[in-house]
Every structure is written in C-alpha cells, then in structure tokens.
Amino acid sequence: MYVCWYNYGLPHPSAGPTALQTTPTVSAIPQATPAPSPADLLLPVPTSASAAAVAAAAQQSIITPLAVSRKRGSEELMSHSPMVTNGTGMSPQHAHNSDISNDAKKVKLDQTNNTNAPSRVIHIRSLPNDVAETDIVQLGLPFGEMSKVLLLKQKNQAFLEFNDEGSAANMVSYYQTTPSQVRLKPCYVQFSNHKELSIKTDASHAYQNATAQAALQAAQAVIHARGGNSGAFLETNECNQTVLRVIVDNILYPITLDVLHSLFSRFGKVLKIITFTKNNTYQALIQFSDPISAKAAKDSLDGQNVYNGCDTLKIDYSRLMNLNVKYNNDKSRDYTRPELPTGEVTLESTMQQSMLGVNPFSTGMPAMTGFGPIPGAYGAARLGIPIQAQVGSPVLLVSNLDEQTVTPDALFTLFGVYGDVHRVKILFNKKDNALIQMAEPSQAQLAITFLDKVKVWGKTIRVAQSKHSVVQMPKEGQPDAGLTKDYVNSPLHRFKRPGSKNCQNIFPPSAVLHLSNIPKDTEEGEITTKFAEHGAVKAFKFFPKDRKMALIQMGSVDEAVMALIAMHNFQMGENSHLRVSFSKSTI
C-alpha cells in the first residue's frame, strides 16, 4: 500500500525554517509499522512565530504547480476528447447564445497552440451538423484552387487541400482576423498536421467521394469563369445561378417537397422550394444559397432515378434569379422565413396532386431524417436514400375491415393494384384487422398513400405501416381457418416484370376503371351486366383502335373499388381473364 503525501507549506526538516518542499513525495509504509494512536494524530499548536512562517509558506505553495505535462495539439485534443470542439484563437467576438458562448470558452484551451507548420491541408472545426462538402469548398473558394475535400460529419470537422501552400496560408491568415462561418455557425480554421490528404476509395466511401468531387468540380468551374476563361459555364452565366428547375419524369412513387429538400440539401444550403404541375408533369424550382452548391447538385443528380427505374430527375438552370415564396406548406417552402402562413388548400392544388397520383388528404411520404448505407433496391445509389428512412417496413396493418366479408383474396386483389402482395394474414382474434406484406417497402408506402381512408365494404379502412418486417405463416397444426395465405408465386402479380407498363399506370381510386384483356367478340352489354352486380354503371366505352381495352364508369369511387375487387381476373373466355385497374381518364 502506498500513500501520497503533499507538503503544503511545512518546512523541510533538513532545509531550515524557510525551505519548502513543493514536490509530492511518495513513501512506502512497511508492513511492520504499527497503527498510530489517537494521540499521535493530534498536531501541536504552533507558536506565533512559527504560525506566521507556516502561513507564508502555505501561500507560496498554493500558487506553485504540482506537475507539468506536455501540451497536446488541437487535432490531438479533437481525436481524443469529444468535449473539445474548437481550437484556434479565432473565437467569435460576440456570442449571443449558449452554444457560441461555450465555443468561445473552449477555444481558450488552445489559444496559444496554433503552432502547426504551414501545409497545403487546412483543418476546419466546430462545423454545423448539416454541413455539406460544398460549404467547405465555398469557404476556401476565394483563396485558390482546391484538390481534395474530406468531411467528417460525426466529428463536425473537415479537411481541405489546396493545390499550393500559398493559397492555404492566405486562408489561414485571413480567418485569423475575420471570424469564419458555415451556415451561420462560427467555425475555426488552422493548418493541419497532415501534409496531404489520403482519401479512401472503397465502395463504402463511394457516395461521399462523388459528392466531394462534384463540389470541387463546381468550384473549379466558378474559378475559371471568374478568371475570364471562355466556356459553356461562363457563356450561360452559370457562375451566378443559384436556382434550379427540376422535372420529375416517369413518376411511379410520389415525390414530395420534403423528399426534394432531403436530396438537394446534401449539396448545400437550400433556401427555397416551389413545386407545381405543368404540362401534366411534376416540376420544382429549388434555390440554393450559392452557385457552387447549385452546380454540384445539378451535376450529381441530373438524369438520376430517385427509385429503381422511375422518378427520373431532369435538372437545368432556371432563368429566375430569386424565388418569391408566399406560403410555407406542402407545395412551397421558404426555409429562411418560417413565420410565413400556410395558406389554404384550394381545389386547384387538390386536383394537381390527384393528377400526380398523390392523395391530397394523406401525409404522403415521411421526410427523410437520416442517411445510412445505400440499399441495392434503389437505382440511384448516389442519392443515398436508405429504405428505412424513406418508406419503412414492407408490412402494412389494415384496420376497420368488414370482418363478415373480408377475405385474403379480396385484400390481395385490392392492394395488388399498388404492388406485388406476398402474404395476407387476417388476425384470428380480431378479424377486422389484417397484415399485408408487399414485395418492397416502397410499394407498401404507395398503398398507404392511395388506400388509407378509402371505403371498402361500406367502411372507411385505415392503412398504416406495421412494426413487423414479415408476415409469418401459421405453424403446422395451428388453427388458422384459411385466414393466412401466401401469394409469392401467384401469376397475378402486376409488377413482377421490370419496366412493366403497369408501373406507369398507377392512379388513386376513381370511379372510372380501365379494363384490358377483353376477348375480341365480347359485347358491351355482357361487360356492363357483370359490373352492374356491384354498383351502378354510368358509362362504358371501348378503345377505338383496340377493342381489347375499355373504360367503364361506376356510380361512385366506393362502387368502383368493389367492382375492381370482384371483377379483376374474372374469366371472360376460355383462356381470357379480365384485368381491371383504376384510371385517370374520363368518359
């Protein structure tokens, strides 16, 4: 056992009455030493002369450091301690909130440690959580050409490499006297210990490397344009353009304003978004805070599919220099003015959403809240949308069903309009509830968008995501009464073939139904008689150039839903089964 004894102000016996021992000493206690008696623990009361000496010695020893340790560099502090997030002497002069105040305090830890040797690599710290590569490139743009950028979001840090050391020195020198900011948050700039950046090129870093390269290429174009070099970038005045026009072609799954914001904000700060429908296509205007972010987003996302084989983005520059947003709602958003009113939902906007296949009374797709590993199910891997953040589980919970009428086959037919149904389970002890497993999570979300709050068998059903990831088949010998069925190998799936035309003809429930695969000798009366068993038939029309297809209008959307459930796959001939789907057309 060891005891550490500190001589605070007591004279050393061998050094005279005024000598002090200011360094801790460690003494080993022999095992044979007896325990002291209470009397031994009592200290003698000093005389007046000795008391004065002791007091003076104690005062001197208090301000004497006990130990001296080496001073670690700012990058080392950052890598070892999550609490220290700032480093140089460039703290903000005026801090108006607690976060900035804390940063100003922490920076004092390293005010005298800006001793790193000049380097082409700049170390930037205390970055905001939503920082993007374009923000870092924008910070270094005025000082020269940059070759590499590395963003460490989890540590709120970044490294920026210039082509030459002089540009890096100019940047550090400038930000030593002028506070730097990224997205309105003060950050700190200094030379890095690294002389050059080594970027990992494996598959797990592919997307990050792509966005970094897009940001650097955009900055390169701006530098060349401002330097007077001729080229397409200068001729179209793109070096000052911040507004993009986005057209979404081949829409299969709904695209919302929040989805657009999540995609484009990865390339810089998005200020405003306006969405609208023109020439029966979904379009958007997106304004960035700077031209580098706009160009990086355009170069990276143009021609990409948001989902596998559909929802293709076509991006070019808008002629507008600034967007005027009046309302913050699901059609437009000004992120710089959160106080704007929401406006009212008009009939026109509702009709526009219906034309896009978006239920205006549904919440639509949830906003993406995070990004993770990119699943292979999506075509545009560079967009980085994880399934769980985007569309959730492939299993749906359907409630408020008519337990006397509902069957697994009926639910398979209805939900099969919006995706391939793999399994259906009607709950044994609560038959007005069912679990439906779709082939993909995105198809489940599509069914929620179009079928939630639709009337089926006279009751308004509710459709929501389930916490389950799969529908379990009953175990052998377990009573089920035919309430659970597996449809994985069913020949009636509409979307089994990639690129099928069915993917382009998905619409919300409507009173008009599209019929196909009609035998050529079938008469109108034969079809209308069958459909009249499920509601009033208001109109019927064969396609002029193809009598294998027709439109039929029922008395209401509710009747059309029931007719679709009953008549889809209805046998009309020896080898012919009718195909029924919802239509956007009118008769």
Side-chain angles (χ1 to χ4, degrees):
M1 177 177 180
Y2 295 90
V3 175
C4 184
W5 173 49
Y6 293 83
N7 245 343
Y8 284 109
L10 297 180
H12 195 279
S14 63
T18 59
L20 297 177
Q21 181 175 339
T22 60
T23 305
T25 60
V26 180
S27 303
I29 300 178
Q31 296 294 332
T33 302
S37 64
D40 296 332
L41 299 176
L42 297 177
L43 296 176
V45 178
T47 62
S48 57
S50 62
V54 169
Q59 184 176 0
Q60 182 178 352
S61 66
I62 289 174
I63 61 174
T64 304
L66 293 178
V68 178
S69 62
R70 72 178 182 88
K71 192 170 187 178
R72 293 187 293 173
S74 57
E75 291 185 30
E76 187 179 354
L77 283 172
M78 289 294 294
S79 62
H80 287 80
S81 174
M83 296 301 296
V84 182
T85 58
N86 304 300
T88 69
M90 298 164 283
S91 71
Q93 297 176 355
H94 302 285
H96 300 289
N97 54 57
S98 58
D99 291 338
I100 298 178
S101 177
N102 289 338
D103 288 343
K105 293 177 182 177
K106 293 172 186 175
V107 76
K108 294 179 181 178
L109 292 174
D110 205 22
Q111 278 183 332
T112 61
N113 193 45
N114 190 21
T115 58
N116 291 344
S119 166
R120 291 190 299 124
V121 182
I122 300 298
H123 182 212
I124 308 168
R125 296 173 287 165
S126 188
L127 293 167
N129 294 328
D130 57 347
V131 65
E133 283 86 352
T134 50
D135 296 314
I136 306 304
V137 171
Q138 184 79 12
L139 204 63
L141 179 64
F143 305 99
E145 294 188 5
M146 297 152 283
S147 54
K148 295 177 185 176
V149 59
L150 176 62
L151 181 60
L152 307 178
K153 273 198 170 185
Q154 293 181 343
K155 295 184 177 181
N156 300 93
Q157 301 180 53
F159 292 90
L160 182 63
E161 180 180 298
F162 284 90
N163 286 349
D164 59 87
E165 191 175 291
S167 299
N170 289 338
M171 181 175 178
V172 171
S173 176
Y174 177 80
Y175 287 122
Q176 280 180 342
T177 57
T178 304
S180 58
Q181 286 189 342
V182 172
R183 301 201 182 195
L184 302 180
K185 186 180 188 300
C187 60
Y188 307 101
V189 179
Q190 68 176 40
F191 289 116
S192 170
N193 289 329
H194 303 285
K195 295 302 179 184
E196 63 177 344
L197 290 180
S198 177
I199 306 295
K200 294 183 179 180
T201 58
D202 57 330
S204 62
H205 296 83
Y207 178 74
Q208 183 178 3
N209 292 341
T211 55
Q213 285 303 311
L216 290 170
Q217 290 170 8
Q220 189 86 353
V222 170
I223 291 174
H224 288 174
R226 291 175 178 174
N229 295 342
S230 60
F233 188 76
L234 179 61
E235 290 172 3
T236 56
N237 199 29
E238 294 178 8
C239 60
N240 297 318
Q241 291 282 2
T242 59
V243 180
L244 300 177
R245 184 183 67 164
V246 181
I247 299 176
V248 186
D249 278 346
N250 191 22
I251 290 183
L252 175 56
Y253 304 126
I255 296 293
T256 65
L257 184 145
D258 289 326
V259 169
L260 291 174
H261 181 263
S262 298
L263 288 177
F264 283 84
S265 61
R266 295 180 70 92
F267 300 92
K269 186 176 182 181
V270 175
L271 301 182
K272 304 171 186 177
I273 299 179
I274 297 176
T275 63
F276 57 94
T277 302
K278 184 177 181 181
N279 299 330
N280 205 28
T281 59
Y282 183 76
Q283 302 187 28
L285 295 172
I286 301 176
Q287 181 175 347
F288 281 90
S289 60
D290 60 89
I292 290 184
S293 300
K295 181 166 176 59
K298 176 181 178 295
D299 293 345
S300 296
L301 299 181
D302 185 29
Q304 297 294 322
N305 295 328
V306 181
Y307 303 104
N308 189 27
C310 61
D311 292 38
T312 306
L313 300 176
K314 294 185 177 179
I315 307 173
D316 58 7
Y317 286 101
S318 170
R319 289 177 294 180
L320 299 174
M321 301 302 295
N322 184 55
L323 298 182
N324 183 20
V325 177
K326 296 181 179 179
Y327 303 108
N328 282 339
N329 51 36
D330 60 346
K331 304 292 290 181
S332 61
R333 197 78 52 84
D334 187 339
Y335 296 95
T336 65
R337 300 182 62 193
E339 75 280 359
L340 286 178
T342 58
E344 296 181 358
V345 179
T346 63
L347 178 61
E348 180 183 359
S349 65
T350 300
M351 289 300 296
Q352 287 180 353
Q353 288 183 341
S354 297
M355 289 176 65
L356 291 172
V358 179
N359 184 351
F361 305 106
S362 167
T363 57
M365 287 187 290
M368 293 179 286
T369 55
F371 298 88
I374 304 165
Y378 286 91
R382 293 173 65 190
L383 301 187
I385 312 175
I387 285 181
Q388 295 300 323
Q390 177 66 24
V391 286
S393 168
V395 179
L396 299 170
L397 173 63
V398 186
S399 57
N400 202 36
L401 295 163
D402 184 350
E403 58 183 279
Q404 302 299 326
T405 313
V406 64
T407 63
D409 287 343
L411 294 176
F412 167 79
T413 300
L414 177 59
F415 282 79
V417 174
Y418 300 107
D420 294 335
V421 177
H422 281 186
R423 288 179 181 175
V424 177
K425 177 190 284 289
I426 298 173
L427 302 189
F428 186 79
N429 294 323
K430 197 174 183 184
K431 294 184 174 61
D432 61 344
N433 283 253
L435 293 175
I436 300 176
Q437 181 180 337
M438 309 295 288
E440 295 181 6
S442 54
Q443 295 178 355
Q445 181 60 49
L446 201 61
I448 294 175
T449 302
F450 292 129
L451 293 179
D452 185 36
K453 299 182 182 179
V454 168
K455 272 194 175 182
V456 184
W457 298 296
K459 302 181 70 174
T460 302
I461 67 171
R462 298 309 307 268
V463 185
Q465 290 177 345
S466 169
K467 64 181 181 180
H468 302 285
S469 58
V470 67
V471 172
Q472 299 288 348
M473 296 297 293
K475 296 180 180 178
E476 202 172 324
Q478 184 177 356
D480 182 67
L483 298 178
T484 305
K485 291 190 71 171
D486 185 287
Y487 297 94
V488 172
N489 298 317
S490 171
L492 301 178
H493 290 312
R494 298 175 187 253
F495 310 102
K496 213 167 189 180
R497 289 182 302 168
S500 169
K501 290 184 178 180
N502 294 328
C503 297
Q504 303 174 21
N505 295 301
I506 296 179
F507 304 105
S510 61
V512 178
L513 298 172
H514 180 273
L515 313 181
S516 61
N517 207 32
I518 303 172
K520 60 181 180 179
D521 56 347
T522 303
E523 297 295 332
E524 175 182 332
E526 186 179 350
I527 298 175
T528 55
T529 299
K530 290 295 184 182
F531 275 82
E533 298 175 8
H534 309 286
V537 177
K538 295 294 185 180
F540 180 90
K541 182 178 71 173
F542 278 111
F543 278 48
K545 296 182 179 180
D546 188 358
R547 284 183 59 89
K548 290 184 179 181
M549 294 190 291
L551 296 175
I552 186 169
Q553 182 176 347
M554 304 300 293
S556 65
V557 175
D558 302 347
E559 292 178 353
V561 170
M562 300 311 303
L564 182 143
I565 293 174
M567 295 303 297
H568 181 65
N569 200 42
F570 181 81
Q571 187 168 355
M572 296 290 294
E574 217 174 289
N575 298 312
S576 180
H577 290 78
L578 190 65
R579 298 184 66 84
V580 185
S581 58
F582 296 114
S583 174
K584 67 174 181 178
S585 304
T586 57
I587 302 177

